[in-house]
Amino acid sequence: MDEEASQQAIVALKDRLNNDPQDFDAAVQLGNMYYDINNAAQSIVYYNVALSIRPNQPEIMTDMATMYWRNGDLGLAEEYFRAVI
């Protein structure tokens, strides 16, 4: 996906989430899109939204841990990795 298409997808997903704050799939997709472009801070925001809707999702928690690690927050990264284990 090129940068323009990615930005359009991000805007569309944010609109979905704004219209329905319980849209788990939109939150996860936003987290994943930011993960893919290595934007740890934004990825963490949307993974937190997803986990607030549906807690204890190992796949999301693993990605969240990775983003905390990339963001330099080793304590939270370890906390999420341990929670998954």
Side-chain angles (χ1 to χ4, degrees):
M1 184 181 298
D2 68 15
E3 187 174 339
E4 184 177 335
S6 292
Q7 289 303 316
Q8 289 173 348
I10 287 171
V11 168
L13 288 166
K14 285 181 178 181
D15 285 343
R16 273 180 52 188
L17 198 55
N18 285 332
N19 289 326
D20 179 7
Q22 296 299 306
D23 190 336
F24 175 78
D25 292 329
V28 171
Q29 288 178 43
L30 281 163
N32 289 342
M33 291 186 81
Y34 283 115
Y35 182 104
D36 290 343
I37 61 172
N38 204 24
N39 185 332
Q42 286 298 301
S43 184
I44 290 167
V45 167
Y46 290 105
Y47 286 146
N48 271 318
V49 170
L51 290 171
S52 74
I53 299 166
R54 290 189 198 161
N56 301 319
Q57 300 292 312
E59 306 86 16
I60 297 168
M61 293 168 71
T62 300
D63 289 347
M64 175 88 96
T66 302
M67 289 293 96
Y68 275 124
W69 177 75
R70 285 187 187 164
N71 215 26
D73 194 334
L74 303 181
L76 280 172
E78 180 181 9
E79 182 180 317
Y80 276 91
F81 279 131
R82 286 188 184 278
V84 171
I85 294 169

